[in-house]
C-alpha cells in the first residue's frame, strides 16, 4: 500500500516568515494529494489539494508543488500569521482507490 | 449544511464494554470513511462504506470492530470489548463521490474514545 512520509515533525517560524513542509510517497500511481490543517481538538480541514496533472497550485498565501518523478510534494505557507499555528497533514490517494494515506503530521508554531 | 456530524464528541468506556460511534454525513454525500488517529500520529484508514454496503474494511481490525451505514440513519462504528489500546480519536469523513473523482472528503469533529 501507499506509504507517506512527512517532514519535519515540528516547525517553528517567526511571524511573517515562510513555512515549508515536505512529503514523499511510495506509490507512483498516486494522483491526488490533499493537505489538511488540524487545530487542537478540531476536525482536519482541507486547505489545498493538487492532482497529478498539475505541478503547482496556489491559493493566496498557500501553495503546493508536486514532483511526480521524485514522488514528493510540498506545502508552502508565506507571510505566516499566528492563526497558521496548527498541525498540518499531507495525504495521498491512488487512482481507483479512495482511501487517503496520511503523513504523520507537522506541528507548526508561528511565533509573534 | 451542517457538515459531517459525529457523536458523541467524547466517550469513556471501561475495558470490556462496547463503544458505538455515530456519523451523519453531509447532505447529499453517500460515501463515508472512518479513520483512527492515535496521539501525535496521522490518521489511519479503517473502513469505507456506501449506503448499505461495506466497500473496503481493510484497515479495520477483524475482531471486535464492525461498521455499518444503513439506508436510513447515521453510519455506526462499533467496538466490542474495548481495550486500552482502542483509546484514540475516531474521525468520520464523507464525500459526494469517490474522492478520486474530483471531489473532496469533509471530516467530522471526531469522537475521542478513552478506555479506562
Amino acid at each position: 500500500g501507499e506509504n507517506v512520509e512527512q517532514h519535519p515533525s515540528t516547525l517553528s517560524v517567526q511571524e511573517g516568515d515562510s513555512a515549508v513542509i515536505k512529503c514523499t510517497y511510495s506509490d507512483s500511481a498516486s494522483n491526488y494529494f490533499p493537505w489538511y490543517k488540524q487545530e487542537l481538538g478540531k476536525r482536519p480541514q482541507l486547505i489545498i489539494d493538487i492532482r497529478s496533472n498539475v505541478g503547482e497550485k496556489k491559493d493566496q498565501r498557500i501553495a503546493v508543488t508536486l514532483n511526480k518523478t521524485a514522488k514528493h510534494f510540498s506545502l508552502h505557507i508565506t507571510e505566516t500569521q499566528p492563526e497558521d499555528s496548527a498541525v498540518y497533514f499531507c495525504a495521498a490517494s491512488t487512482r481507483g482507490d479512495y482511501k487517503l494515506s496520511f503523513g504523520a503530521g507537522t506541528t507548526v508554531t508561528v511565533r509573534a | 449544511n451542517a457538515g459531517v456530524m459525529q457523536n458523541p464528541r467524547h466517550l469513556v468506556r471501561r475495558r470490556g464494554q462496547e463503544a458505538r460511534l455515530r456519523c451523519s454525513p453531509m447532505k447529499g454525500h453517500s460515501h463515508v470513511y472512518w479513520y483512527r488517529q492515535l496521539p501525535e500520529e496521522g490518521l489511519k484508514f479503517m473502513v469505507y462504506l456506501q449506503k448499505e454496503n461495506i466497500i473496503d474494511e481493510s484497515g479495520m481490525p477483524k475482531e471486535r470492530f464492525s461498521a455499518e451505514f444503513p439506508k436510513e440513519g447515521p453510519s455506526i462504528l462499533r467496538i466490542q470489548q474495548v481495550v486500552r489500546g482502542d483509546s484514540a480519536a475516531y474521525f468520520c469523513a464523507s464525500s459526494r463521490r469517490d474522492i478520486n473523482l474530483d471531489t473532496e472528503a469533509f471530516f467530522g469533529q471526531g469522537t475521542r474514545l478513552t478506555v479506562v
Side-chain angles (χ1 to χ4, degrees), chain B residues 1-66:
Chain B
N1 195 330
V4 179
M5 302 300 292
Q6 288 188 249
N7 68 83
R9 291 289 308 278
H10 300 275
L11 182 61
V12 179
R13 284 287 177 265
R14 295 185 184 281
R15 282 179 294 171
Q17 291 185 319
E18 178 180 284
R20 288 168 63 92
L21 289 63
R22 296 175 184 76
C23 169
S24 296
M26 286 180 68
K27 187 176 181 180
H29 288 195
S30 59
H31 297 240
V32 167
Y33 317 81
W34 285 93
Y35 288 82
R36 176 163 64 176
Q37 185 177 34
L38 294 171
E40 300 185 8
E41 291 189 15
L43 292 87
K44 302 294 185 188
F45 169 80
M46 297 182 73
V47 61
Y48 165 44
L49 310 101
Q50 294 179 24
K51 282 286 187 181
E52 300 185 275
N53 286 303
I54 297 174
I55 308 302
D56 182 350
E57 54 184 351
S58 61
M60 197 161 64
K62 291 193 175 4
E63 296 182 357
R64 302 188 298 109
F65 286 72
S66 63

Side-chain angles (χ1 to χ4, degrees), chain B residues 71-115:
Chain B
K71 186 177 180 181
E72 301 291 337
S75 175
I76 305 286
L77 179 67
R78 183 182 292 109
I79 311 172
Q80 297 177 304
Q81 299 175 335
V82 296
V83 300
R84 288 231 170 96
D86 297 331
S87 295
Y90 292 83
F91 287 93
C92 167
S94 74
S95 65
R96 189 166 45 237
R97 298 181 296 168
D98 182 337
I99 57 170
N100 226 287
L101 296 176
D102 196 24
T103 188
E104 68 175 273
F106 294 85
F107 281 83
Q109 298 267 31
T111 293
R112 280 153 184 82
L113 172 66
T114 302
V115 179

Side-chain angles (χ1 to χ4, degrees), chain A residues 88-106:
Chain A
Y88 292 80
F89 293 98
C90 63
S93 177
T94 302
R95 180 178 295 281
D97 201 352
Y98 30 74
K99 49 184 176 279
L100 294 169
S101 296
F102 283 85
T106 297

